């Protein structure tokens, strides 16, 4: 087995012991016992999120560097904590790797994951390793906390609330869409992909929650249309998006000119892996929160379903796609 | 994909909503948001354990029924919580299943897991599902809690402490050892295996911890010799086991006579999957705790290393095996 379990555990152990006094305080006992022991601030509730990342489903070894895969596995969990308005306290990694995966790949994966963990002061407090039958499977658990009763749910959106999004959308989907046309294009796409380091919006989520601004919040992992639909379903409301307002990422049109252009609207609407925050609020929201741009992109409606307003007409918006608005709607 | 993600999530959701008022109180928000929100008793620390169960590594579809696999996946986590002297609060399941795994298998797996969860009043509060490239991978996370500073670690064993074990050892290893000899033997082994429902020793662990009896504790998942070695390493001590004292499970010699005989000593010493508690203590321990037999099997020594005392002689005991005791030891 190329993956030395003992080595990985030693590495996790060191990672759990490193870090600030604050980190160490939250992890009483990490790797090396039957369970990790974590201390959470008094009068806090705990947040638990698990994300399974699977080769060929969530990433491809020929497209994604191991560092990016490790980084993204943890991004998914941290982004979930951000969407609850919480603070991450510890991460756990369960990693299964097939016999034919080189140790170098595993090292790169761990490097990417630990780099992101260090940025957010999150100790890797444990996990499990095993040999898989084929490919790579990584399950990342992030434990966070939030003051009692203050977690921001998906279910609180009210008709009349505005809809906001942090950052800009569509870059990861646009880059992935360019793959598999030609070898040359793929090299350039891989370069672009390498530059993407999705940054979980922990600080923005915290800032918003502390001021009780969001009535509902979710992170954009499946794509704007799908994730907005989750808020609508859980809150039993509808939504209207303004196509022009949706902040589209700029990506390089080609490698020579380095000229940038906004991604296609459909990629900003339906592409995934943005890890931005989508939230609803009746309050005034400043245009920048914790260093991140915030854009108003629509409003919550009493009428169920989602609509996209564009060039003076309305279309019904579906999770992951759209269709023309029917006359009798 | 035979596994309907939405169906599974609905099932987890129902499971999270079912159950006693006590359960519901610990899970504030389960499936259906970015993260689960759990409420833990005041002045408790939280316990987190993750266990990856992988087809062909931890179980075989031709030997283990899906119910047993689901049951065992959760047993591993609950047993870890028991070994800390903690109480389980919620479980999370990440399940990846290949396209060729029938829905019936997944249903059986869920049934086994949920049956055990119900026995211990543990809500399944979330998780993740995905399609795997090959086979079945299940990562189970169990969150527990324990009063601040009271978790029983592996590192507290002191020279002179007695070594105790709950229940009896070796049955799972003995049954697995009988596989693959003949088809007929395999049928009978599969029957025996079906009867094994390893029961995490939550009540015994709690009883012992509340009376501050164990100086160190671990659950027997890798086998007595390996797990005792973990206590020795973490506590920087050695151990002496009395071969005659080790409680060996009785299993059927053959199907016709139904006569039972104790498993071989090596299976009780090195076999895994017992999910009994191994602990050390300077205190008097009653022969039965929370309905489970407790047996004194040896003592902790200042001299490092493990020894096995048998028929008046001592042998050096290694994790997972043994060798003859050398003269100069």
């Amino acid at each position: 087995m190329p993956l030395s379990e003992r080595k990985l555990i030693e590495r996790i152990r060191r990672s759990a012991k490193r870090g600030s006094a604050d980190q160490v305080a939250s992890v009483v006992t990490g790797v090396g016992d039957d369970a990790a022991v974590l201390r959470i601030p008094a009068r806090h509730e705990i947040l638990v999120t698990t994300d399974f990342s699977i080769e060929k489903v969530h990433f491809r070894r020929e497209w994604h560097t191991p560092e990016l895969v490790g980084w993204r596995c943890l991004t998914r969990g941290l982004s979930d904590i951000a969407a609850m308005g919480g603070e991450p306290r510890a991460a756990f990694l369960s990693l299964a790797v097939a016999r034919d995966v080189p140790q170098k790949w595993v090292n790169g994966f761990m490097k990417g994951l630990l780099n992101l963990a260090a940025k957010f002061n999150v100790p890797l407090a444990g996990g499990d390793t095993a040999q898989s039958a084929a490919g790579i499977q990584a399950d990342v658990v992030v434990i966070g906390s939030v003051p009692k009763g203050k977690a921001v749910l998906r279910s609180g959106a009210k008709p009349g609330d505005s809809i906001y999004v942090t950052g800009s959308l569509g870059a990861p989907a646009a880059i992935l869409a360019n793959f598999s046309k030609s070898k040359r294009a793929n090299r350039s796409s891989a370069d672009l992909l390498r530059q993407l380091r999705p940054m979980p919006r922990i600080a923005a989520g915290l800032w918003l929650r502390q001021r009780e601004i969001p009535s509902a919040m979710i992170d954009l992992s499946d794509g704007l249309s799908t994730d907005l639909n989750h808020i609508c379903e859980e809150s039993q409301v509808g939504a209207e998006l303004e196509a022009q307002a949706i902040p589209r990422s700029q990506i390089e049109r080609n490698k020579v000119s380095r000229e940038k252009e906004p991604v296609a609207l459909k990629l900003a609407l339906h592409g995934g892996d943005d890890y931005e925050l989508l939230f609803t609020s009746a309050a005034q929201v400043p245009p920048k929160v914790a260093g991140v741009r915030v854009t108003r992109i629509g409003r919550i409606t009493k009428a169920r379903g989602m609509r996209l307003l564009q060039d003076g007409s309305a279309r019904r918006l579906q999770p992951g796609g759209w269709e023309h608005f029917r006359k009798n709607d």
Side-chain angles (χ1 to χ4, degrees), chain A residues 165-184:
Chain A
V165 70
T166 61
S168 67
L169 310 181
I175 295 170
L176 285 180
N178 281 336
F179 268 108
S180 80
K181 281 177 185 162
S182 73
K183 268 200 180 173
R184 193 170 161 177

Side-chain angles (χ1 to χ4, degrees), chain A residues 286-304:
Chain A
K288 215 165 195 176
V289 161
V292 182
R293 181 159 61 121
V294 176
T295 311
R296 184 187 177 282
I297 58 171
R299 65 183 188 95
I300 294 296
T301 61
K302 197 176 165 187
R304 303 292 293 267

Side-chain angles (χ1 to χ4, degrees), chain A residues 263-275:
Chain A
V263 302
L265 176 64
K266 69 171 182 180
L267 295 173
L269 266 175
H270 309 302
D273 282 336
D274 288 311
Y275 304 108

Side-chain angles (χ1 to χ4, degrees), chain A residues 152-224:
Chain A
V152 185
L153 306 182
R154 296 175 178 178
S155 53
K158 297 273 177 296
D161 284 355
S162 290
I163 303 170
Y164 297 90
V165 70
T166 61
S168 67
L169 310 181
I175 295 170
L176 285 180
N178 281 336
F179 268 108
S180 80
K181 281 177 185 162
S182 73
K183 268 200 180 173
R184 193 170 161 177
N186 282 356
R187 258 203 306 280
S188 134
S189 294
D191 280 350
L192 283 175
L193 208 54
R194 226 188 310 279
Q195 294 160 30
L196 281 188
R197 287 263 177 275
M199 199 58 83
R201 300 302 188 191
I202 296 286
L206 201 59
W207 194 97
L208 291 164
R209 191 264 295 158
Q210 283 168 341
R211 284 153 190 83
E212 304 198 345
I213 288 173
S215 52
M217 189 152 64
I218 193 172
D219 76 309
L220 292 179
S221 52
D222 296 335
L224 174 57

